[in-house]
Amino acid sequence: VTKMNSRPVGLIMDEVDGMFKGDRGGIDELISYITIPSVRRKKANSNINRRVPIICICNIGNVKKETIKCLQKECHEVSFSLPDKRALLTVLNRVANGEGMQVSEEAKGSIIEYAQSDFRRLVGIMEFLYVTCGTDIRQEHVVWCYDVLSRKEQDLHITESVKRLINARLDGPTVY
């Protein structure tokens, strides 16, 4: 941060909405770092740390509106919306082409539905299908994949799960 001849530096604060839950001064400290008090503006402008861009990433839906307003006053807000099916299809096709996968139209529709407007989930499903089913993906593969991934999301007791992992011979999809 203090070396002027080095490459530009920025600070990314991800999951800022987590700072609002049980906060013990973290959000106030972040705001004080971002804000340049008007009384000390000239002195603050000479401070190199004040010129480092700070990107705060937050899911506003998880935070009460009044608690985040103090941060919003000091920042330029950029909102993102969930991707539509066309955008998901574009990514699905790009991944499939890149990996040499042939995916049926029916399977593509199911994959997009299972992805729930989430690019990361879409890519994860595609990776799982590639590893477990190969390059020729049909609807029955997607249904099987969804069944396996749904079982993973079931809430199991941690002790029971660890015992199963250690003591039982499990196949890859069961462990996954």
Side-chain angles (χ1 to χ4, degrees):
V1 170
T2 59
K3 295 181 183 177
M4 292 300 291
N5 296 332
S6 64
R7 294 170 55 186
V9 175
L11 178 65
I12 298 176
M13 296 288 296
D14 195 7
E15 303 289 342
V16 173
D17 47 321
M19 294 178 78
F20 291 100
K21 298 173 184 150
D23 183 23
R24 302 239 186 327
I27 199 67
D28 292 334
E29 188 66 29
L30 177 63
I31 291 171
S32 74
Y33 192 78
I34 293 170
T35 307
I36 299 174
S38 59
V39 177
R40 299 182 353 215
R41 190 169 298 275
K42 281 188 178 180
K43 185 177 179 182
N45 283 337
S46 67
N47 182 350
I48 186 69
N49 291 340
R50 298 288 186 169
R51 290 186 276 159
V52 172
I54 301 172
I55 299 170
C56 299
I57 302 171
C58 175
N59 298 321
I60 293 179
N62 296 341
V63 180
K64 292 179 185 171
K65 292 281 185 191
E66 58 273 3
T67 56
I68 200 167
K69 282 185 181 180
C70 55
L71 183 60
Q72 286 175 316
K73 284 192 295 187
E74 303 299 332
C75 299
H76 174 74
E77 187 175 346
V78 179
S79 298
F80 294 91
S81 59
L82 292 174
D84 61 7
K85 290 182 180 185
R86 190 179 67 200
L88 290 165
L89 180 61
T90 300
V91 171
L92 188 152
N93 286 330
R94 188 176 297 159
V95 170
N97 290 337
E99 298 299 327
M101 298 172 74
Q102 298 296 319
V103 183
S104 73
E105 292 302 315
E106 186 181 17
K108 286 180 182 181
S110 294
I111 292 168
I112 289 170
E113 182 182 327
Y114 295 155
Q116 300 173 341
S117 296
D118 185 336
F119 287 124
R120 293 173 298 179
R121 187 174 174 111
L122 175 88
V123 171
I125 291 169
M126 293 294 289
E127 179 183 15
F128 186 76
L129 284 166
Y130 180 80
V131 169
T132 58
C133 302
T135 58
D136 187 28
I137 306 300
R138 302 284 165 242
Q139 177 65 16
E140 57 269 13
H141 298 125
V142 178
V143 171
W144 173 82
C145 169
Y146 182 72
D147 181 52
V148 170
L149 294 176
S150 295
R151 275 190 271 138
K152 179 184 183 262
E153 293 173 358
Q154 293 174 357
D155 188 20
L156 300 173
H157 190 272
I158 187 75
T159 308
E160 196 177 305
S161 297
V162 170
K163 282 181 187 177
R164 282 188 66 211
L165 281 171
I166 294 172
N167 298 322
R169 292 193 97 159
L170 304 172
D171 62 345
T174 304
V175 171
Y176 183 75

